[in-house]
Amino acid sequence: MSSTTDPARVTVVGLGPMGQAMARALMAAGHQVTVWNRTPRRADALVAEGATLAATPAAAVAGSDLVILSLTDYPAMYDILDPVVRDGSALAGKVLANLSSDTPDVTREAAQWAAKHGAAFLTGGIMVPAPAVGQPGAYVFYSGQKDVFDRHEPVLKVIGEPKYLGADPGLAQLFYQAHLDVFLTALSSLLHATALVTAAGVPAADFLPGALDTLTGIPAMIGDGLELAGELEAGEHPGDLSTARMMGATADHIVRTSQQAGIDLELPKAVKSHYDKAIAAGHGTSNWTALYEVVKASG
Ligand SMILES: NC(=O)c1ccc[n+]([C@@H]2O[C@H](COP(=O)([O-])OP(=O)(O)OC[C@H]3O[C@@H](n4cnc5c(N)ncnc54)[C@H](OP(=O)(O)O)[C@@H]3O)[C@@H](O)[C@H]2O)c1
């Protein structure tokens, strides 16, 4: 993926694996990159490759109109930028593109905080691991002011294909968390299932390739998701091919097998609880998709 824009000045604040990958991709596309990180030595390799290390967060912000933040969470942004805004109008006219994880509400508050200090705010959620940044297939959710996004899209494109979701700053974060809900749960299930077989003395290598087939077989069962989306929205859960009662029995067997193996029970118990609630609510002969009715009501 390469930039179609003139070289721009871009600041990257936060140099974990993700911030470093972004800075590198931006430099490779010809942009002038200023970096800052709480732990300065994390900038060493980037500086050797041509980045400018700002001595302070204020200097980092002053270095570019577009400031990309790649931090563990949003409190880290305030830790870094609160001292900067105490100096007056340092953020005025800047665009903060925060590609860090947090909740949608925290993100909305941050957009208001930025506006109070004269800065525009874009929320981003990057959907690939650090080594894939700037590579084909990389994509990033964005939300926030459309004209601000449009102005900076040619530069942001370098990181990954932008998917603009709308003006609500919380929207990109909502999509990020929803995707990570799928991702993190799947990763935990892979490790849990591996622990189940290794507790029985089976080597992980005998199990994991097949487990990945199970994981990637899910799209074959569900299709592109649009039919499922229609059924969920219509509240239709035909149990012709499988039922919540049948799958709930298996969910219980997984809990008991895990108990016998002496491994952690929280994840299979959480899954079983969805089936128990669906069956108790009268959805036993409906499809597994009926779990949606109890999951969405639980909050
Ligand atoms: N890594 C990935 O593959 C990946 C993939 C998709 C999305 N993301 C998202 O990208 C963001 C960054 O990820 P990462 O892997 O680079 O994370 P990381 O290794 O945890 O780095 C986080 C950065 O935040 C800084 N930081 C944390 N708390 C701070 C504070 N209170 N004050 C100042 N700086 C603070 C760290 O500074 P120090 O160096 O001084 O500790 C570091 O630069 C996260 O929100 C993550 O969810 C990451």
Side-chain angles (χ1 to χ4, degrees), residues 159-173:
I159 295 168
E161 196 57 38
K163 292 185 189 244
Y164 178 76
L165 297 172
D168 171 5
L171 210 48
Q173 195 68 256

Side-chain angles (χ1 to χ4, degrees), residues 62-160:
S64 317
D65 287 341
L66 176 61
V67 179
I68 295 174
L69 299 125
S70 178
L71 303 162
T72 309
D73 52 23
Y74 273 50
M77 176 185 79
Y78 295 115
D79 285 349
I80 295 165
L81 294 185
D82 270 340
V84 174
V85 297
R86 262 182 240 129
D87 286 347
S89 58
L91 288 188
K94 303 289 177 182
V95 173
L96 305 179
N98 196 333
L99 275 63
S100 315
S101 177
D102 216 302
T103 68
D105 279 351
V106 163
T107 299
R108 291 184 186 108
E109 283 162 22
Q112 286 174 2
W113 174 89
K116 198 173 84 187
H117 296 290
F121 194 87
L122 293 173
T123 309
I126 179 146
M127 296 309 304
V128 291
V133 167
Q135 302 299 315
Y139 70 100
V140 187
F141 291 123
Y142 288 99
S143 64
Q145 245 177 283
K146 179 79 164 73
D147 57 326
V148 175
F149 169 76
D150 286 344
R151 205 162 60 243
H152 293 282
E153 185 185 14
V155 174
L156 295 172
K157 230 179 172 151
V158 169
I159 295 168

Side-chain angles (χ1 to χ4, degrees), residues 237-240 242-245 282-290:
H237 310 289
D240 308 334
S242 62
T243 64
R245 185 167 296 144
H283 299 296
T285 55
S286 301
N287 195 7
W288 63 272
T289 57

